[in-house]
């Protein structure tokens, strides 16, 4: 089941998905490589598992990762923190128009934001708008009972 | 039972658990799930053709659905996905050989469920936050922006490395903060490996059914406090996948 919970006034910050109802990536992450391993002499290996296992775990920082992050900086044309919270459209427009200016003002913004960030590490203050929720397929719970 | 067929084993449950008639297992068409009992235990199994590949998305989903659905009504020990044994006798042997350790583990899972809290940093938010705090990163970003990769490769690698390190540091801090904030509503917690380079938190919690509401409320608060920075997800209730020590139970 997929339920977007609503906390606070402006929609929930926590996306929820029930067991077995998430994406394949969720299922793979949840179940693979977990659980009791049965003795080799009674078990019969079943094919088709190892491949998935390998695909499920490739999170190693590499030059490729670094380049991708840097590209993101380029692509997103990330502007200083002070401008966050504007609607996307405005943000895009200002990004294009104020590139030089934004970078020039960076040092100053950093000083002002620094304090807020330190505070935030202990318990980030709530602010800003909602994330888009991905639609997930709903699952019907198939019940096994005593 | 012929050589071409085996029994796919889903999990171990108390002997009074009965799969419902519509319980669907792995395979195409889905196998019918039955219980094989021995003593206080039962194994949930379904017949599976050993020549057909098991591991299709539908098989994984069926496996998880069965175990998660079972976990909501009874304690269950998941058996690792992909385990198939030669037949009913092998299942009984298995239950007999490990009867007491399985029973003890099941007793621990009585009225307990797993929830996994998984969060991912919003890339733009995280990076822009970093650039305002880290002058080195900001300077590198300045050198990288608008310049082709060939001309700024070295700076790109250094900038990316800084971002990557910042993600790792922040990830550690957020995982600790999560356990501090919601751990008191859980019986146990188990860290999970990050599954993405922008993973912010990934922790499994074993939660008593009486505390579910408080636990979920605490996770909601945690998420609310980070709503711009981290896209937070709560997966569950689940069977206790992360709390079964695979090698402890069966040597």
């Amino acid at each position: 089941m997929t339920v977007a919970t609503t906390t606070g006034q402006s929609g929930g910050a926590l996306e929820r998905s029930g067991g077995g109802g998430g994406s394949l990536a969720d299922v793979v992450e949840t179940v693979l490589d977990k659980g009791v391993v049965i003795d080799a002499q009674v078990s019969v290996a079943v094919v088709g598992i190892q491949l998935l296992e390998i695909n499920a775990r490739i999170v190693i920082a590499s030059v490729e990762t670094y380049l991708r992050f840097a590209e993101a900086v380029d692509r997103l044309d990330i502007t200083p923190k002070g401008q966050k919270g504007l609607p996307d459209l405005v943000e895009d427009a200002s990004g294009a128009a104020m590139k030089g200016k934004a970078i020039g003002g960076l040092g100053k913004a950093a000083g002002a934001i620094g304090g807020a960030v330190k505070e935030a590490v202990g318990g980030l203050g709530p602010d800003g708008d909602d994330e888009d929720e991905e639609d997930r397929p709903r699952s019907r719970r198939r019940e096994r009972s005593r | 039972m012929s050589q071409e067929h085996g029994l796919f084993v889903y999990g171990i449950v108390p002997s009074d658990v009965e799969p419902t008639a519509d319980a669907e297992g792995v395979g195409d068409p889905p196998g019918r799930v039955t219980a094989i009992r021995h003593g206080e235990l039962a194994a949930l199994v379904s017949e599976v053709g050993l020549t057909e590949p098991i591991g299709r998305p539908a098989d994984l989903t069926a496996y998880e659905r069965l175990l998660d659905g079972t976990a909501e009504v009874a304690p269950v020990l998941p058996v690792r996905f992909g385990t198939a044994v030669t037949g009913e006798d092998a299942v009984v042997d298995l239950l007999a050989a490990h009867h007491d350790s399985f029973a003890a583990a099941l007793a621990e899972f009585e009225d307990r469920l797993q929830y996994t809290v998984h969060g991912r940093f919003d890339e733009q938010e995280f990076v822009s936050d970093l650039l305002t705090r880290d002058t080195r990163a900001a300077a590198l970003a300045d050198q990288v922006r608008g310049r082709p990769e060939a001309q700024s490769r070295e700076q790109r690698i250094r900038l990316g490395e800084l971002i990557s390190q910042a993600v790792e540091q922040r990830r550690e801090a957020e995982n600790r903060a999560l356990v501090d904030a919601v751990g008191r509503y859980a019986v146990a917690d188990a860290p999970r490996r990050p599954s993405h380079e922008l993973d912010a938190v990934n922790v499994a919690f074993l939660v008593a059914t009486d505390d579910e509401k408080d636990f979920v409320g605490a996770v909601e608060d945690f998420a609310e406090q980070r709503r711009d920075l981290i896209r937070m997800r709560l997966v569950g209730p689940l069977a206790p996948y992360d709390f079964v020590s695979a090698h402890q139970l069966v040597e």
Side-chain angles (χ1 to χ4, degrees):
Chain A
M1 83 194 111
T2 301
V3 185
T5 58
T6 39
T7 53
Q9 308 87 331
S10 53
L14 184 64
E15 186 186 329
R16 294 194 60 180
S17 45
S23 63
L24 178 62
D26 267 352
V27 177
V28 167
E29 214 191 314
T30 301
V31 306
L32 275 195
D33 219 11
K34 304 285 178 192
V36 176
V37 178
I38 305 299
D39 316 45
Q41 66 263 35
V42 289
S43 70
V44 178
V46 178
V47 294
I49 315 302
Q50 288 76 8
L51 204 66
L52 274 165
E53 252 182 276
I54 292 161
N55 288 340
R57 58 170 70 155
I58 27 164
V59 189
I60 298 157
S62 62
V63 169
E64 281 68 38
T65 312
Y66 299 159
L67 287 173
R68 211 197 53 69
F69 273 135
E71 198 191 306
V73 171
D74 211 3
R75 186 182 63 240
L76 294 170
D77 192 28
I78 287 162
T79 47
K81 181 88 169 144
Q83 297 188 348
K84 291 297 294 176
L86 293 174
D88 282 350
L89 255 176
V90 177
E91 206 165 38
D92 281 349
S94 71
M98 300 172 43
K99 214 170 181 177
K101 208 173 164 189
I103 294 163
L106 205 81
K108 209 170 160 190
I113 299 299
V117 171
K118 265 179 218 134
E119 253 175 42
V121 177
L124 285 170
D127 69 333
D129 46 16
D130 207 354
E131 287 282 323
D132 288 340
E133 303 264 30
E134 268 171 47
D135 262 355
R136 292 177 175 282
R138 279 168 185 275
S139 80
R140 196 158 61 90
R141 191 174 137 209
R142 297 183 170 278
E143 194 46 82
R144 281 118 294 275
S145 53
R146 294 173 190 242
Chain B
M1 190 170 292
S2 73
Q3 300 276 43
E4 291 82 48
H5 287 80
L7 285 176
F8 189 99
V9 186
Y10 299 85
I12 316 285
V13 291
S15 60
D16 59 352
V17 172
E18 179 70 54
T20 54
D22 64 348
E24 286 186 351
V26 299
D28 184 20
R32 205 177 133 253
V33 178
T34 57
I36 295 176
R37 296 183 171 80
H38 178 83
E40 296 170 25
L41 304 172
L44 298 175
V45 302
S46 70
E47 197 168 312
V48 70
L50 294 179
T51 48
E52 63 175 297
I54 297 294
R56 300 170 305 136
D59 296 328
L60 284 161
T61 305
Y63 167 89
E64 195 192 336
R65 251 180 221 182
L66 179 74
L67 291 176
D68 293 347
T70 304
E72 291 195 40
V73 295
V76 57
L77 285 181
V79 170
R80 183 159 298 196
F81 180 88
T83 304
V85 300
T86 45
E88 207 162 314
D89 291 349
V91 177
V92 171
D93 286 351
L94 170 75
L95 295 179
H98 306 288
H99 185 275
D100 293 351
S101 60
F102 284 161
L106 284 174
E108 278 181 36
F109 292 134
E110 188 77 57
D111 294 325
R112 283 164 188 186
L113 289 159
Q114 176 175 328
Y115 280 92
T116 302
V117 182
H118 191 187
R120 192 168 286 185
F121 290 117
D122 179 283
E123 186 171 59
Q124 177 154 1
E125 186 71 21
F126 186 91
V127 174
S128 72
D129 181 57
L130 178 70
L131 295 186
T132 58
R133 284 185 295 126
D134 188 325
T135 47
R136 264 196 315 162
L140 284 167
D142 207 0
Q143 294 168 42
V144 159
R145 276 203 194 92
R147 286 178 64 200
E149 190 186 316
Q151 288 171 32
S152 57
R153 188 177 162 86
E154 201 186 314
Q155 290 91 335
R156 280 170 186 267
I157 290 173
R158 268 161 44 209
L159 174 60
E161 194 178 4
L162 281 180
I163 295 171
S164 181
Q165 286 166 354
V167 168
E168 275 174 41
Q169 272 177 20
R170 189 64 183 266
R171 180 186 293 148
E172 272 180 38
E174 292 294 347
N175 274 310
R176 275 198 307 272
L178 174 67
V179 172
D180 285 349
V182 311
R184 81 192 77 153
Y185 302 108
V187 179
D189 55 81
R192 310 187 93 237
R193 276 189 302 261
S195 63
H196 187 271
E197 59 203 20
L198 281 166
D199 255 24
V201 293
N202 201 355
V203 184
F205 293 92
L206 190 65
V207 180
T209 45
D210 286 348
D211 297 328
E212 258 180 296
K213 225 176 152 178
D214 290 338
F215 173 80
V216 172
V219 177
E220 281 174 348
D221 289 346
F222 186 86
E224 186 64 36
Q225 288 160 6
R226 291 154 174 78
R227 58 183 308 148
D228 285 341
L229 181 65
I230 302 177
R231 184 196 178 108
M232 201 77 75
R233 300 173 52 234
L234 179 63
V235 184
L238 306 168
Y241 302 100
D242 286 275
F243 298 94
V244 176
S245 19
H247 302 283
Q248 235 171 357
L249 286 164
V250 181
E251 291 297 332

